[in-house]
Amino acid sequence: MDQLVIEAKKRAETGKKVAKQLRAAGRIPAVMYNEKGEAVSLDVDSAAFNKVWRTITSTTLVTLNVEGTSYDAFIRATEYDIKTDSVLHADFFAVTNTKPVTRKYKVQYSGTAAGVLKGGFMVKHIPEVVIKCLPKDLPVRLVVDVSKVNIGDNLCVKDLDLGDKVTILTNPEASLVTVAPAR
């Protein structure tokens, strides 16, 4: 996936009046937090932000350019107005890529299990897996191919291959999927 870039400007003024003026000008008020807990008030272009925001997950790292300085950041939270279909505010979390982070991933399944095609039924056991790695090494999604799981087979967490830079913290013996025979 290409690195996604969001251009931002620092802002000194804060408050409701300023936020309304920014939104009227096609900008979104935002805040960037760093790992020390320090905050910087920003504003970003609404159209450019929405283009990026609608295509990412919570574990996607974006490049935040703030007046010539680049930061690797996650979009931590957004305030969204469903009536106007617009983002009202955004929070970014800038990371240094030197400390590992821990994230929970919902397990997504692809394919049809071979055992299901033979009349069995697939049982999903754990809905999410916890992993730890540097922010730049985080996978976008955790998709598991179940097409080779036969009747009586057990697909465990230890069978996942996420690369050598990712550590899985979930019990390796935990079952993700089994295919049970028809009754």
Side-chain angles (χ1 to χ4, degrees):
M1 180 178 221
D2 294 334
Q3 185 64 26
L4 304 166
V5 179
I6 298 175
E7 300 290 333
K9 296 178 187 173
K10 289 184 181 179
R11 61 184 170 101
E13 299 173 334
T14 59
K16 288 183 182 181
K17 184 177 180 182
V18 174
K20 285 184 180 182
Q21 291 171 345
L22 284 172
R23 290 184 197 111
R27 311 281 299 166
I28 298 172
V31 177
M32 178 183 67
Y33 299 96
N34 64 16
E35 292 173 336
K36 298 175 188 172
E38 301 165 342
V40 177
S41 295
L42 306 171
D43 69 81
V44 296
D45 180 62
S46 179
F49 178 82
N50 280 317
K51 184 178 179 182
V52 171
W53 179 64
R54 293 181 189 278
T55 62
I56 65 170
T57 66
S58 61
T59 57
T60 303
L61 209 55
V62 298
T63 300
L64 185 62
N65 286 335
V66 181
E67 297 176 352
T69 306
S70 293
Y71 300 93
D72 286 335
F74 294 108
I75 298 176
R76 171 68 52 92
T78 55
E79 184 180 344
Y80 178 74
D81 185 1
I82 195 166
K83 290 180 183 177
T84 61
D85 188 34
S86 61
V87 175
L88 302 176
H89 181 84
D91 287 343
F92 295 94
F93 182 68
V95 293
T96 58
N97 274 320
T98 57
K99 287 195 267 181
V101 294
T102 303
R103 293 283 189 264
K104 285 184 181 179
Y105 280 83
K106 291 200 180 293
V107 180
Q108 299 175 0
Y109 300 100
S110 68
T112 304
V116 171
L117 297 174
K118 295 176 184 174
F121 61 95
M122 188 168 77
V123 179
K124 298 175 187 174
H125 295 282
I126 59 173
E128 54 191 24
V129 173
V130 181
I131 68 168
K132 182 177 182 178
C133 65
L134 292 175
K136 64 180 179 166
D137 297 326
L138 284 171
V140 175
R141 290 179 183 81
L142 184 57
V143 181
V144 178
D145 181 20
V146 295
S147 60
K148 295 181 180 170
V149 181
N150 236 322
I151 294 177
D153 287 351
N154 184 12
L155 182 66
C156 296
V157 172
K158 66 182 176 186
D159 298 328
L160 295 176
D161 182 23
L162 299 177
D164 57 344
K165 295 179 181 180
V166 177
T167 304
I168 301 174
L169 300 178
T170 305
N171 178 5
E173 297 300 322
S175 293
L176 292 169
V177 170
T178 57
V179 176
R183 295 183 181 191

